[in-house]
Amino acid sequence: MKHVFITGVAGFIGSSLARTMLEQGYKVSGLDNFDTFYDPAIKRRAVGRLSENKGFKLYEGDIRHRETLDKIFSAAKPDLVIHLAARAGVRPSIEQPELYYDVNVTGTLVLLEAMRAAGIKDMLFASSSSVYGNNRKVPFSETDPVDNPISPYAATKKAGELLCYTYHHLYNFNIYCLRFFTVYGPGQRPEMAIQQFGRKISEGAPITLFGDGTTRRDYTFISDITAGIIACANNLKGYEIFNLGNSDTISLIDLVRGIEETLGRKAVIEWKPMQAGDVEITYADISKARRLLNYSPGYPVHKGLLRMFSEQGMC
C-alpha cells in the first residue's frame, strides 16, 4: 500500500483527494497550516471527517519550515508527496506579491530540499492554468510557451514548475506538474465564483460580474481532478506536465444562467469593469492526459453544478 503525503491537505482539493485515496486503500498523511485566507473552521471540518479513517494522519505546520518537514518525513516516511499547498488566488496576489512568492516559491523549494534530504524522490506538483496568461492559441497545450504570466500568482506557479524540473535534472526526482483548470465542486472555497454565486443567488443577494460576461473558463469538477491526480500517482516516471481540465468552456454569463437554472432562482447582477490579472479564456487541451493517463472527465458543467449544489443541500 502506497503512503501518500499531501501538503495543503485540509483545503478543498487536498481534503477531497485524501478522502478518495483513503477509500481506494492508500495510506494518507498530510500537512496544513490552517491559514486565514478563508475561514479555518471550514478546513477543520474537512480534516475532521478525514481523521475518522485510521489510515489518515494530520500534521500541522508550514511548508516553509524546514525543521517541521524534516521531522515529518523522518516519522512518516511517505512514498509520494503531492504538493497542493499554496497561497491561492490571482487578484489577491497582485496586492500581496511578496507573500505569494514566499509561500509558493520558497515553500516549494524548502519542500524539495527536505525531500532530497529524506531520500524521497516522487512528487506531484499542483500548478495552474493561470501560467498560460492571455495565450491567444486555444485550447492551451502543455507545449505552448508560458513566459508571459499576468499575475504574481501565475508567475509563482511557473517558478514552481521550473524548480521541479531542476530537481528532476539534478537529483533524478520523478515529478509531474499538473495544471488545474478552475476546479469546483462540493466544499469549494467560499470566495470562488461558483460557490459564491450559488450562495448569494440562494440568499437573494446581488452578485458582481467583472467585464461584459463574455470571458470563458474551463470549469473542472473535483472528482475529475482527483481521478487525474491518482492516475498520475500510479504512472509517475520522469518529468512531465499535464493539463487537467474539462476541455470545454462556458462564458461567465452562461455560467450564471446555469446556476440560476440549477437553483431555481434569478440572480441580481452588478456589473463592474474587468480586473487586472484576469484572463479572457482558459481552455485545456487534454489530449496528452487522455493518451498517457487514460484521463476522461465525466462532468460537463450542468451535471457538475447539479451534483455540487445537491450535495450542499441547496437544491
Side-chain angles (χ1 to χ4, degrees):
M1 177 174 59
K2 184 175 286 189
H3 180 187
V4 175
F5 179 77
I6 301 173
T7 68
V9 72
F12 166 47
I13 298 177
S15 59
S16 299
L17 175 64
R19 182 175 62 253
T20 301
M21 297 190 91
L22 287 165
E23 290 170 353
Q24 294 186 11
Y26 290 85
K27 181 180 179 182
V28 178
S29 55
L31 175 71
D32 210 287
N33 70 347
F34 297 94
D35 69 59
T36 57
F37 181 76
Y38 64 94
D39 186 357
I42 297 173
K43 303 174 198 175
R44 294 283 181 190
R45 287 194 294 272
V47 140
R49 290 188 288 271
L50 295 175
S51 298
E52 296 171 2
N53 190 306
K54 293 181 180 179
F56 176 75
K57 183 172 179 59
L58 172 68
Y59 297 92
E60 291 196 38
D62 195 300
I63 56 171
R64 293 169 290 179
H65 297 167
R66 176 63 186 274
E67 289 185 5
T68 297
L69 294 174
D70 288 342
K71 290 177 182 178
I72 291 171
F73 288 156
S74 177
K77 296 180 172 59
D79 304 301
L80 168 68
V81 172
I82 302 179
H83 181 30
L84 303 177
R87 194 75 182 183
V90 166
R91 293 167 188 163
S93 77
I94 297 172
E95 299 170 1
Q96 297 177 295
E98 292 175 333
L99 174 61
Y100 274 71
Y101 184 94
D102 188 35
V103 174
N104 297 358
V105 182
T106 302
T108 298
L109 179 59
V110 172
L111 178 62
L112 286 164
E113 274 295 284
M115 289 174 60
R116 184 170 72 89
I120 303 165
K121 292 192 172 184
D122 288 355
M123 175 195 254
L124 302 179
F125 171 71
S127 186
S128 166
S129 62
S130 66
V131 301
Y132 290 106
N134 270 323
N135 194 338
R136 297 297 177 183
K137 172 188 162 292
V138 292
F140 301 157
S141 170
E142 294 91 344
T143 57
D144 292 343
V146 288
D147 298 325
N148 299 288
I150 63 171
S151 70
Y153 173 71
T156 65
K157 286 300 182 180
K158 170 62 175 176
E161 292 182 0
L162 294 174
L163 283 172
C164 288
Y165 180 81
T166 301
Y167 275 70
H168 160 70
H169 174 76
L170 291 176
Y171 308 115
N172 203 31
F173 276 33
N174 297 303
I175 303 182
Y176 287 177
C177 298
L178 313 180
R179 293 174 178 170
F180 298 153
F181 282 71
T182 316
V183 188
Y184 73 103
Q188 186 187 30
R189 296 199 322 262
E191 90 286 357
M192 295 293 285
I194 292 178
Q195 187 73 282
Q196 183 184 152
F197 291 168
R199 182 178 67 253
K200 289 186 174 181
I201 291 171
S202 294
E203 296 169 351
I207 63 171
T208 301
L209 301 188
F210 296 95
D212 61 2
T214 62
T215 55
R216 304 185 70 86
R217 294 289 180 270
D218 190 341
Y219 291 98
T220 316
F221 194 72
I222 182 62
S223 62
D224 289 329
I225 289 292
T226 57
I229 295 171
I230 292 170
C232 288
N234 292 332
N235 291 277
L236 180 60
K237 184 177 181 180
Y239 177 88
E240 298 285 352
I241 296 172
F242 287 100
N243 288 336
L244 293 183
N246 193 46
S247 199
D248 194 11
T249 69
I250 186 171
S251 70
L252 178 59
I253 192 61
D254 284 342
L255 173 70
V256 172
R257 300 306 180 219
I259 296 173
E260 289 177 327
E261 182 177 343
T262 304
L263 298 178
R265 298 285 300 271
K266 292 293 291 182
V268 179
I269 300 174
E270 294 180 350
W271 294 93
K272 290 190 177 181
M274 191 86 160
Q275 289 202 315
D278 283 356
V279 298
E280 295 173 5
I281 187 171
T282 63
Y283 185 3
D285 178 345
I286 58 172
S287 56
K288 180 179 178 180
R290 286 189 188 277
R291 184 177 72 254
L292 299 180
L293 305 173
N294 198 29
Y295 174 69
S296 182
Y299 279 87
V301 170
H302 71 276
K303 182 179 176 182
L305 291 176
L306 180 59
R307 180 173 170 187
M308 174 177 175
F309 293 127
S310 295
E311 289 194 15
Q312 294 184 168
M314 299 169 66
C315 67

